[in-house]
Amino acid sequence: MSHSPLIPESKLPALGTTIFTQMSALAQQHNAINLSQGFPDFDGPRYLQERLAFHVSQGANQYAPMTGVPALREAIAEKTEALYGHRPDANTDITVTAGATEALYAAITALVRPGDEVICFDPSYDSYAPAVTLSGGILKRISLQPPHFRVDWQAFAALLSDKTRLVILNTPHNPSATVWRKSDFSALWQAIEQHDVYVLSDEVYEHICFDEEGHASVLAHPQLRERAISVSSFGKTFHMTGWKVGYCVAPAAISAELRKVHQYLTFAVNTPAQLAIADMLRAEPEHYRELPEFYRARRDRFVEALSDSRFEILPCEGTYFLLADYSAISDLDDVSFCQWLTKEVGVAAIPLSVFCADAFPHKLIRLCFAKQEATLDAAAERLRKV
Ligand code: PMP
Ligand code: GLN
């Protein structure tokens, strides 16, 4: 008897493989320098690696507490207070997650109900929309325009409705490399104060901010933080995206709901990695304090090396991404241009239109500069020839 295979009706029919996976695979296939997917090509701190080995050797190899190991939650509370002037309760407000991706998914799943509206800003990071869709939410997108990608707060206010449940923001912003200022958070508060709206603030690049004002966190805003979930990632901070450890901070009542999702999504996160990160945060806080300078040097070197190319480089206020305008070089759309660049020039980049639901007719690509100097120099040499 033959059975026809069961093919599920997709809950996410429009989705394919992420652009990061696609472009990294294409880079590998063509032996191109991979400036597409955002990850460093150098290692994280030696001390962190040693502490991981230490904790493994000491037998810290069983389940961690569901919310995260106490030492790490305490270290996060201290760091948050030192940076943003607000000390979250390590027991009730901080949850360690399997990277920022899990925190974002758990937050959206906990807060968004069928029919709820969620506002985000396009270009937007690719993991938000599928999570909103799976929860039955309706995404309302505000398009930000290059080169400054600033929010039009009147347009934002016009989009608010009785159904608005959540606003998702990201600063420093992937992929535009712009940052929110304190005044943006004030404007957000003014707009939503009279509405029962939550805020999900993706701050995974909090330590890679080049703005004079420094990183403006939602946690530094006394009213907003009462209804916000902020999301961070140790993958960015410690150059080890493969460890997949992140966390979120939210008031107890919101955290309680988020934890209900987290405990059945992953239950708990890698124990020895959490302990190693706790040691690292306490022993070497200068690592993240010096991160802006570390990345500023790479950014400036790469910008300088591209200065006599035909790419026009946009301002970079934060993240380890640089936007380049290729209008002077090609009429191709950005997806085709990135494919061509990978195959013919040997440098892989990310097209910006994939982060937008509406047409994004600009000729912009994203280049990751979290790379060794030799990698950046070699990439710039190829790009200058275009
Ligand atoms: N948000 C943004 C804006 C990101 O760029 C990334 C990854 N680069 C994430 C979330 C996911 O972080 P993680 O790797 O810790 O899951
Ligand atoms: N966040 C990384 C980027 O923007 C990619 C993460 C992933 O591959 N999912 O490049």
Side-chain angles (χ1 to χ4, degrees), residues 114-247:
D116 282 346
E117 292 180 1
V118 178
I119 298 179
C120 78
F121 304 94
D122 271 9
S124 60
Y125 186 61
D126 68 341
S127 80
Y128 312 148
V132 171
T133 303
L134 288 173
S135 282
I138 298 153
L139 205 54
K140 301 272 171 180
R141 296 160 181 269
I142 293 190
S143 296
L144 308 179
Q145 295 303 319
H148 300 299
F149 297 93
R150 306 314 302 175
V151 177
D152 174 344
W153 289 106
Q154 275 182 343
F156 177 84
L159 214 55
L160 284 171
S161 80
D162 292 345
K163 290 189 182 156
T164 310
R165 174 78 165 171
L166 180 68
V167 177
I168 306 177
L169 68 100
N170 170 215
T171 183
H173 185 247
N174 176 12
S176 77
T178 58
V179 303
W180 275 32
R181 310 245 147 64
K182 269 192 196 145
S183 55
D184 290 299
F185 282 106
S186 304
L188 174 63
W189 173 244
Q190 230 180 350
I192 66 170
E193 186 178 356
Q194 305 299 334
H195 299 259
D196 293 338
V197 172
Y198 296 91
V199 174
L200 179 55
S201 188
D202 179 347
E203 303 183 16
V204 300
Y205 300 100
E206 66 188 313
H207 299 301
I208 314 178
C209 179
F210 312 118
D211 193 61
E212 270 172 24
E213 272 188 27
H215 171 60
S217 172
V218 75
L219 296 173
H221 192 287
Q223 289 88 25
L224 279 174
R225 70 176 173 239
E226 291 303 317
R227 46 165 91 182
I229 300 176
S230 79
V231 172
S232 297
S233 169
F234 291 115
K236 319 287 162 196
T237 304
F238 293 128
H239 314 309
M240 28 99 192
T241 58
W243 282 30
K244 293 298 294 187
V245 184
Y247 64 93

Side-chain angles (χ1 to χ4, degrees), residues 332-377:
L332 288 174
D333 65 75
D334 60 354
V335 173
S336 311
F337 183 77
C338 284
Q339 286 167 354
W340 174 82
L341 198 69
T342 307
K343 292 178 194 165
E344 303 300 329
V345 180
V347 179
I350 296 285
L352 246 69
S353 63
V354 300
F355 299 100
C356 304
D358 293 340
F360 188 78
H362 308 281
K363 301 215 174 308
L364 290 174
I365 59 170
R366 190 196 81 176
L367 300 160
C368 174
F369 60 83
K371 304 293 169 194
Q372 297 173 45
E373 290 176 351
T375 311
L376 294 175
D377 293 349

Side-chain angles (χ1 to χ4, degrees), residues 96-125:
V96 180
T97 56
T101 307
E102 197 231 335
L104 292 163
Y105 191 89
I108 291 168
T109 306
L111 292 175
V112 177
R113 304 154 307 185
D116 282 346
E117 292 180 1
V118 178
I119 298 179
C120 78
F121 304 94
D122 271 9
S124 60
Y125 186 61

